């Protein structure tokens, strides 16, 4: 198939590159000139394991442009993969989705033949049918379900293992407005062996939010249990292992620590809470999940102060800035509130991350960035905030280590070791 992808961030680029790997011709559209240039040179503008290799291997089937006209004229299906950030009050900001829908609509006006528009961005229930579809109709002067198709196909990939997740998903969800759109997406995904859920546009949208809210709930839940365990001298990981053997519960997402971050859970939960309010429904559980997550990273500072009571002038080494390993993404990373608090208490912060330092520098230019993880260890105490593989190989003997991510290598060797929930 010939596919265009609007927005070449984590989701758009991975989607485009993977569709190209599966034999489709792909045109990526972005408003960011630098990203377009890099993609056309075969260099991914983001770090994602394996992405560069797949991009290079399929270069003859993938190109990037700013030109919506070129992209829509030369493809049959367009995926909207632009960001859906939060407004200041937590509600969803749809401006990128609206801009993309408007632009696609304008191009469809002059396109002969049927075209399918698929929303892949995470949007609240009702958005595809009540915001995107009318914008497409208004700007194209054409009729949805007749002249063009509309579908909603949420993405569940995880940053860090995005390529693998895209190619081997647990399920594919297809929300469809019209039968032809369903057929085209069925065909596009026909080589995938996972279950395919076909449903209403709004149910597809809700499946994505409910999934993220549930996963975040599991983490905040085990963190709350983990905090109790810490007080009682119980290892929260043993508790999680014992719980996880129950098939109704499952072991995944029961690793306690300093909480969740990233580009999705925080904004998606905020959007769901704010939307629940708008429709006059309660979101007590989800609101508590967010509250627990706000407090959790600061447990690191409490534990640190047990061993270094006065932080002023003390050097604190921070290992890990990305919101999780194998990504350069620092959006809502738990390192942000921790570093903020350290600076507030006038500690000297020296940090290292294998991939995320450039991004972190933009937010915290005032801290010291080390050229290696070893250099970070030369501090009064060390905080482990991201579980990067290479941190396992460090020599923690003689160190005070406060661990937010359960690095057993540090636990077994440090002079003083405190795990946040164990
Ligand atoms: N990142 C994830 O792990 C993940 C996983 C599942 C779903 N999602 C959802 O996917 C969507 C995209 O997320 P992301 O992390 O890839 O975002 P991102 O911010 O990394 O990328 C968005 C891209 O869209 C481009 N863009 C913005 N407006 C545009 C326009 N009008 N035309 C063309 N390009 C435009 C931006 O320049 C940027 O490159 C969001 O709704 C997000 O919630 C993200």
């Amino acid at each position: 198939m010939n596919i265009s992808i609007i927005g070449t961030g984590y989701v758009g680029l991975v989607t485009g590159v993977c569709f190209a790997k599966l034999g489709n011709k792909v045109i990526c559209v972005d408003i960011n000139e630098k990203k377009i240039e890099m993609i056309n040179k075969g260099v991914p503008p983001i770090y994602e394991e394996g992405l560069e290799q797949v991009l290079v291997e399929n270069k003859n089937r993938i190109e990037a442009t700013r030109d919506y006209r070129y992209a829509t004229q030369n493809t049959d299906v367009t995926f909207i993969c632009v960001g859906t950030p939060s407004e200041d009050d937590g509600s969803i900001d749809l401006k990128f989705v609206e801009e993309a829908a408007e632009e696609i609509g304008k191009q469809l006006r002059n396109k002969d033949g049927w075209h399918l528009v698929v929303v892949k961005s995470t949007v609240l229930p009702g958005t595809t049918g009540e915001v995107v579809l009318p914008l497409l109709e208004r700007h194209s002067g054409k009729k949805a379900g007749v002249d063009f198709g509309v579908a909603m196909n949420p993405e569940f990939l995880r940053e860090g293992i995005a390529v693998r997740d895209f190619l081997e998903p647990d399920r594919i969800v297809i929300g469809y407005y019209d039968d032809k759109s369903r057929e085209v997406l069925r065909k596009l995904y026909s080589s995938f062996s996972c279950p395919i859920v076909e449903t209403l546009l709004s149910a597809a949208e809700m499946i994505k939010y409910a999934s993220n809210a549930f996963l975040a709930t599991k983490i905040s839940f085990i963190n709350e249990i983990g905090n109790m365990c810490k007080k009682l001298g119980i290892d929260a990981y043993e508790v999680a292992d014992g719980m996880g053997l129950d098939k109704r519960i499952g072991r995944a997402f029961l690793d306690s620590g300093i909480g969740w971050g990233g580009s999705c859970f925080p904004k998606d939960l905020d959007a769901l809470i704010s939307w629940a309010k708008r429709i006059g429904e309660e979101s007590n559980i989800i609101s508590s999940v967010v509250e627990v997550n706000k407090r959790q990273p600061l447990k690191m500072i409490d534990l640190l102060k047990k061993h270094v009571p006065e932080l002023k002038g003390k050097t604190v080494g921070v290992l890990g800035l990305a919101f999780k390993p194998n990504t350069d993404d620092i959006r809502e990373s738990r390192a942000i509130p921790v570093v903020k608090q350290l600076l507030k208490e006038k500690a000297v912060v020296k940090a290292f991350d294998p991939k995320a330092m450039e991004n972190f520098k933009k937010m915290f230019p005032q801290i010291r960035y080390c050229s290696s993880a070893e250099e970070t260890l030369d501090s009064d105490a060390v905080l482990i905030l991201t579980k990067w593989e290479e941190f396992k190989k460090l020599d923690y003997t003689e160190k005070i280590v406060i661990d937010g991510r359960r690095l057993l290598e540090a636990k077994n060797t440090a002079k003083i070791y405190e795990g946040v929930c164990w």
Side-chain angles (χ1 to χ4, degrees), residues 275-287:
W275 183 76
K277 214 181 272 168
R278 246 188 55 203
I279 61 168
E281 281 304 326
E282 299 202 337
S283 56
N284 297 328
I285 293 175
I286 304 166
S287 299

Side-chain angles (χ1 to χ4, degrees), residues 5-13 29-32 35 46 68 80-85 92 95-101 103 120-123 154-159 162 208-209 212 263-264 267-268 323-324 329 331:
I5 306 278
I6 312 296
T8 61
Y10 288 86
V11 167
L13 187 59
V29 180
D30 208 288
I31 45 174
N32 184 326
K35 285 190 176 183
I46 50 162
Y68 269 85
I80 300 179
C81 300
V82 296
T84 44
I92 190 167
K95 74 169 173 285
F96 300 123
V97 171
E98 288 169 352
E99 279 165 18
E103 207 47 55
K120 204 176 230 324
S121 299
T122 303
V123 292
E155 182 49 58
F156 300 96
L157 62 77
R158 288 164 293 179
E159 283 178 29
K208 174 65 189 171
Y209 276 94
N212 274 2
S263 63
C264 291
K267 79 168 173 63
D268 291 349
F323 86 92
K324 66 173 177 183
D329 198 340
R331 288 179 281 186

Side-chain angles (χ1 to χ4, degrees), residues 220 223 258-260 266 270 273 287-299 332 334 337-338:
S220 283
N223 283 342
I258 49 172
W260 38 270
D270 284 349
I273 292 166
S287 299
S288 303
V289 166
V290 172
E291 279 315 304
V292 170
N293 198 56
K294 273 189 192 141
R295 290 195 297 270
Q296 199 64 13
L298 298 176
K299 296 265 171 202
E332 299 289 336
R334 300 296 80 195
V338 172

